[in-house]
Amino acid sequence: LIAEAGLYTESDQIIILSPENVDSVIFNSTAALLVEFYATWCGHCVAFSPTWKNLARDIKEWKPAVDLAAIDCADESNRKVCTNFGITGYPSLKFFPAYSSRESKGQEFRGFSRDVRGLRHYIINKLEMHNETWPPACPPLETASEAEIDNVFQTDNVKLLALVFESKGSYVGREVTLDLLQYENIAVRRVLDTETSLVSSFGVTDFPSCYLYNSSGYISRLKVLNEARTFYSYALQRLPGVVRTGKPQIPINDLIKNSALQEWRPFNKTRVYMSDLESALHYSLRVELSGHISISGDDLIALKKYINVLAKYFPGRPSVKSALNTVDSWLQQQKGMEIKYSDFRDVLDNTVQTSDAVLPEGVQWVGCQGSQAHFRGYPCAVWTLFHVLTVQAKEMSSPDPQEVLQAMRRYVSSFFGCRPCATHFESMAQESMDHVTSLSTAVFWLWSRHNHVNNRLAGELSEDPHFPKIQWPSPELCPSCHGLRKTGEHSWNQEEVLTFLRNYFSSAHILTDYLR
Ligand code: FAD
């Protein structure tokens, strides 16, 4: 069921070229394009594909100015396209500047670097060579002079200027400029350490370092955990007043006042709430599953495994645990090929009358509240539930490292109402769930896949402007989770991330406010 196109799928955020779309994607485009021509059977292409995917994630924010594409030349239907571009070896990379004409064969990139950083720098070098056909969405990348800086505030939408002071060979300023291109009310420029007058008027001593300059002439240094691209971009995107293009923010106080539909429940954004977990159970067991009149085959296996994992690891109130145990025992006794949802539901609901076993009815989102009814809620609580379950399985030393993940995979595949989500999740599971060989890597796997999804969804319509999709946890939430390689690239400190997750999603840390 997964839309495979050679080595890449649509969730890799790479445009998959075909004879049908190639002309419209490459020619006369407002964005530049870097295309990988590959063959599925070529070992070097297989080895290079993770780098290409990582690059796509890394420069996702640059898409309006420069995008990535790929075409499988081993696919016979694509042969003519590859031949037309003169491709004879794989993988080949070709750069197409914005507004390339139909005659263009692209600029071949020979001896290209096999790492994301090198490729990113190449793209910047190529962008800078555009001259008169500059991609309209691409902000200026050249160094700023003192005179220009004073003129910036005359431009529409700019209330704040971020200046990255750096040496000539550094790419940080240009990378941050591109990372912010989809944000409004801010402009980013790079200033060289040789601009002595600016350096001294801002009092700059470190290179790189980032300073904020507003239209009233106020100067302050941007506070970051590390002086590097990822940290600057993250901090600038989150400054008050800086908004993603097309996503105006309503102040949260107005939301609270205007929320006529449901009373807004104040909550701590950095904690897990039991009310969300119980609401997820209610919604999945009483609403999502009820769409299936009878449940059989793989779906029945999926349901049994899901309920079994919940019965074992859901860190709930005794009454909820007892309700889950009752349903689990009943399900394990069902030896037929099929069950009726109504029978399942009777067991679930009868528990209310027969004992103290209760799964509360209805949903009451707390940490998963959205600023509008169509944001967050159930999918937020599904992620949270499974993070909690992977951590609980670790604490309780489950004998099977993949037990919770496989239950999640089956549940999502059989029942999760968001079908594109299910397809994407299955594609990630097929790609790497096999690598999970310990309970810690299970916790880690779910965290890293969730971040992949966050990266893909950042800026989408489904993103709640009050809860932007970030690479989580943020530097504020877990400073020690974030590190820096010698090259200046961001890195996750895996041990620290694991410690953080085990604490954040632990049963002792879950808040019970608002429980009914
Ligand atoms: P969510 O992403 O739902 O996260 C909930 C909370 O978990 C966050 O508030 C944060 O506290 C915490 N968190 C964030 N990142 C991590 C992390 N890496 N590790 C641990 N905790 C974290 N939507 C689509 O549009 N397309 C899809 O393909 C898609 N696939 C999905 C697949 C699955 C399996 C699920 C459960 C959901 C999927 N969704 C998809 C929905 C989407 O991921 C979000 O759940 C939804 O947009 C709500 O977002 P949110 O802001 O509440 O944060």
Side-chain angles (χ1 to χ4, degrees), residues 204-357:
V204 181
T205 48
D206 301 322
F207 304 95
S209 57
C210 182
Y211 285 76
L212 300 171
Y213 183 37
N214 72 13
S215 44
S216 341
Y218 181 76
I219 296 172
S220 62
R221 182 165 178 176
L222 185 71
K223 286 197 188 66
V224 283
L225 199 59
N226 289 298
E227 302 291 338
R229 171 213 176 185
T230 312
F231 298 90
Y232 292 150
S233 297
Y234 171 81
L236 294 175
Q237 288 164 357
R238 252 127 228 112
L239 286 174
V242 173
V243 290
R244 193 181 265 283
T245 311
K247 279 196 173 262
Q249 279 217 9
I250 308 154
I252 199 88
N253 284 337
D254 293 354
L255 282 176
I256 297 166
K257 269 188 264 151
N258 298 336
S259 179
L261 284 174
Q262 278 219 325
E263 198 186 327
W264 182 264
R265 300 173 195 98
F267 69 98
N268 181 340
K269 276 193 184 183
T270 66
R271 296 293 291 271
V272 172
Y273 285 82
M274 184 55 80
S275 184
D276 290 320
L277 301 177
E278 287 188 0
S279 299
L281 293 185
H282 164 83
Y283 192 87
S284 94
L285 302 180
R286 294 206 182 92
V287 182
E288 196 152 64
L289 284 176
S290 72
H292 300 251
I293 294 164
S294 64
I295 300 170
S296 61
D298 283 348
D299 293 347
L300 186 54
I301 300 173
L303 180 61
K304 285 183 173 178
K305 300 231 180 255
Y306 174 55
I307 297 289
N308 185 246
V309 153
L310 288 174
K312 283 190 199 159
Y313 305 120
F314 187 78
R317 302 188 253 185
S319 52
V320 173
K321 281 175 80 75
S322 163
L324 292 169
N325 277 322
T326 310
V327 181
D328 183 44
S329 315
W330 177 80
L331 261 183
Q332 305 308 330
Q333 284 158 20
Q334 305 306 303
K335 301 294 176 209
M337 306 284 280
E338 185 178 283
I339 62 159
K340 285 208 183 73
Y341 175 74
S342 55
D343 293 340
F344 172 88
R345 180 63 181 264
D346 283 345
V347 180
L348 187 69
D349 290 346
N350 275 343
T351 56
V352 178
Q353 288 129 40
T354 53
S355 67
D356 62 347

Side-chain angles (χ1 to χ4, degrees), residues 425-445:
F425 192 73
E426 179 55 29
S427 142
M428 294 196 297
Q430 276 181 21
E431 193 173 76
S432 57
M433 205 183 265
D434 280 358
H435 304 169
V436 172
T437 52
S438 70
L439 294 165
S440 298
T441 42
V443 175
F444 210 73
W445 186 89

Side-chain angles (χ1 to χ4, degrees), residues 269 376 379-380 382-384 387 408 412 416 418 420-421 424-425 446-448 450-451 453-454 456-457 462 467 469-470 472 501 504-505:
K269 276 193 184 183
R376 310 193 76 227
C380 165
V382 171
W383 279 120
T384 311
H387 288 301
M408 177 177 185
V412 168
F416 194 42
C418 167
C421 304
H424 288 140
F425 192 73
L446 195 60
W447 162 77
S448 80
H450 191 171
N451 268 344
V453 176
N454 292 345
R456 181 156 48 78
L457 299 182
S462 61
F467 299 88
K469 301 274 193 290
I470 57 160
W472 190 93
L501 295 172
Y504 188 88
F505 292 109

Side-chain angles (χ1 to χ4, degrees), residues 347-393:
V347 180
L348 187 69
D349 290 346
N350 275 343
T351 56
V352 178
Q353 288 129 40
T354 53
S355 67
D356 62 347
V358 184
L359 174 63
E361 296 252 5
V363 294
Q364 186 175 248
W365 309 120
V366 179
C368 282
Q369 280 172 110
S371 65
Q372 289 179 45
H374 60 278
F375 288 135
R376 310 193 76 227
Y378 182 55
C380 165
V382 171
W383 279 120
T384 311
L385 173 65
F386 281 102
H387 288 301
V388 166
L389 295 175
T390 54
V391 167
Q392 276 298 105

